[in-house]
Amino acid sequence: MIKMETLEFNDIQGLLIRSYTDLPYANFLLCQAPDGHSLGAFTRAIASEITSAEVNPTRCAKNIAFTNQGISLLKLPMKEDFAGDFMEGMNSSFRSRILGDYNANGPDNWHWGAQNQDEIHFMMMLYGRDPDELGSCRQKSADTLTQCGIKVLRVLESKKIEGEKEHFGFHDGISQPVLKSLKHKKPGTEDNVVAEGEFIFGYCNEYDQKPISPSLTDGTDIGLNGSYMVFRQISQDVRGFWKYMTEKSDGDLDAAVYLASKMVGRYPSGTPLVLSPEKDDPTGKYNEANDFRYGDDPHGYKCPIGAHIRKANPRDKIDDDPEDSIIVARRHRVLRRGRPYGDPIASSFLPADILKADPAPDREVGLYFIAFNTNISRQFEFIQQQWMNNKKFGNLYHDPDPIVGIDAKPPANSTEKPEPPGQFTIQTEPVRKKLVDVPLFTQIKGGAYFFMPGLRALNEMANRVNKNNV
């Protein structure tokens, strides 16, 4: 039995606990320091402004996270180093193969984060209730950045979409794990209750052990109350998505929405197919539903086995033992805090309106995928490689994730052999339906692994710079 933990909210950065729902506007500043002194000076100057999880901000919030290159500038005397996956970085060739970041998704095509691009040392994450509040927060940070000689390489802007939707038009952010110490706030979610140590250092994980945390030679645990943050910029081909659904539905728009729902595993409202398989529930009682299993749908007749949400979290159907499956699933969860970017192609999100909207080919929309975990390999990378990108997941034959799957076609100048295009299988009786040549609906445009320290560790990291004469 994993014991109940008491979280130190005053030492945890706010984003780890709160999704800042009252702060719909956000800027993510990718920053580069000229040296360790400058980075240390900035960290000391900004530390008192970082928003802790103890407060629920209603005007603005400010968080910070560092890449391995940024940490290296500080030349901290390490006893227990940072995890190898974090130090190696998302853009390494090995991790690219694990994540499916090749062909169109390869780092060579990224806007930022590739090895041949400007080195990123840290990210400032700014949130505001309106553009003015966000602008004020950003200006204050900008002044400090300038004073410390920090260069802002890129600003990633975000504004939440009304109705908690993502750009394809589906309700997003529903399937979240619930921290064990906070489960009293969300009754009826027992399967989704996960130990704090899966997401925050210093607490027991699902193995009833504290995850290995980075520490200094004097024993200072600088991982305590921190986490590894995965940040990926994912563009979405909204028109291509609905064009494909419509064509495969012979022009029937209602059928196109149903087909898209089969691929996602939920209707646009958020209702999971496993609870309402024939059509969306008009009462809306399941729109936020997350407390369900796939046990009464073992063959995927309600929710296809290869559907996006079923691959991302197989729940009780990893194997034939539902309780063991739930235990295994809990060990491969991430805490998501993503935000959309770009204005919706059509405010109605109706396929008809999307397909007739002004094409605007240079207008990119998508998602900033943000996730927290204490073991990148076992959590985020496992989900991506073993479940999402796995074409034989659940005894399927050639079915990568239909929404964020890998790209099978190498670029024209590549010597790599192309793979067969992805498929999507809709299990039904008496004969299954198989869609072939499923195109790539999303594309990676940038990404990196970050470390988000606790507030005491943030101050400790900054203060060590002078001692180390960086």
Side-chain angles (χ1 to χ4, degrees), residues 195-265:
E196 285 80 3
E198 292 294 310
F199 316 112
I200 309 173
F201 286 111
Y203 306 90
C204 288
N205 59 21
E206 282 296 321
Y207 292 90
D208 204 15
Q209 298 177 351
K210 291 185 178 181
I212 298 174
S213 180
S215 62
L216 304 181
T217 51
D218 65 0
T220 301
D221 183 356
I222 59 171
L224 180 63
N225 290 317
S227 182
Y228 290 124
M229 182 178 79
V230 178
F231 194 107
R232 284 161 77 81
Q233 181 176 347
I234 307 173
S235 69
Q236 296 175 248
D237 181 6
V238 178
R239 290 185 186 84
F241 179 83
W242 286 111
K243 181 181 178 181
Y244 180 85
M245 302 303 162
T246 303
E247 289 176 347
K248 294 300 180 181
S249 303
D250 298 325
D252 185 330
L253 294 179
D254 289 336
V257 173
Y258 187 67
L259 174 59
S261 301
K262 282 285 190 179
M263 286 193 173
V264 172

Side-chain angles (χ1 to χ4, degrees), residues 308-322:
H308 175 67
I309 70 164
R310 193 159 179 166
K311 277 199 160 201
N313 181 13
R315 300 176 186 253
D316 60 321
K317 288 305 295 179
I318 294 175
D319 57 35
D320 292 333
D321 187 319

